[in-house]
Amino acid sequence: MHIHKFEKIWLIFGITTLLVFLSVIGVSAFYLGNQPPSCLATINPEKVDTTAPFDKPGLKKVEGKEWDYELVYVASAFSFNPAKVEVPLGAKVKVIATTKDVIHGFEVAGTNINMMLEPGFISEYVTTFDKAGDYLIVCNEYCGVGHHMMSSKIEVVE
């Protein structure tokens, strides 16, 4: 069987690309220990209001952890709880969020905070607010007819 010269080149190129890709993934996964984010923390979506820390959403100062504050949010039909929070400038904050009903987005405009909130799972993100001002939180996953009204605000104060 005769294979044309250009077909051989493309076969070699394709197989080489595949081997490089698999090597990069293998090194990244096994040697460097990189793994996709997983939802290890779960919660019963019917008992969010009675489960700590979601029973008292808002900003709480913490001691003995890598972050200074925990900011707890609960998303539900077309609202975030709390609606407004004040965070000190330069504070390292762990954002902990979940939802009670459907999938919601949690995007803090102007930052790299962007999480998907799924019923039954807890999403977490650690960040530092280095710039004073108001940061709008929006739902970036369509969640129903009131989706466009779903927002909250983080006010970073000195």
Side-chain angles (χ1 to χ4, degrees), residues 78 102-105 116 139-148 150:
F78 319 128
V102 298
I103 293 175
H104 293 284
M116 181 181 280
C139 176
N140 58 4
E141 293 284 334
Y142 182 74
C143 55
V145 294
H147 167 73
H148 63 284
M150 189 170 176

Side-chain angles (χ1 to χ4, degrees), residues 16-115:
T16 304
T17 304
L18 179 63
L19 292 175
V20 167
F21 174 75
L22 291 175
S23 299
V24 168
I25 295 295
V27 167
S28 177
F30 298 111
Y31 180 70
L32 300 177
N34 293 330
Q35 298 175 358
S38 59
C39 297
L40 297 177
T42 60
I43 188 170
N44 183 344
E46 296 172 359
K47 297 182 180 179
V48 169
D49 291 328
T50 59
T51 306
F54 301 104
D55 56 344
K56 295 177 184 169
L59 187 69
K60 295 174 183 67
K61 178 95 169 129
V62 294
E63 300 291 332
K65 297 191 177 180
E66 294 178 23
W67 48 89
D68 305 318
Y69 294 90
E70 288 183 350
L71 180 53
V72 179
Y73 270 96
V74 177
S76 58
F78 319 128
S79 69
F80 288 109
N81 185 15
K84 182 180 177 184
V85 174
E86 286 188 3
V87 175
L89 181 66
K92 191 170 186 179
V93 179
K94 181 176 186 178
V95 180
I96 306 168
T98 191
T99 177
K100 297 191 281 187
D101 46 19
V102 298
I103 293 175
H104 293 284
F106 186 92
E107 179 181 357
V108 181
T111 70
N112 58 350
I113 302 172
N114 188 1
M115 301 185 290

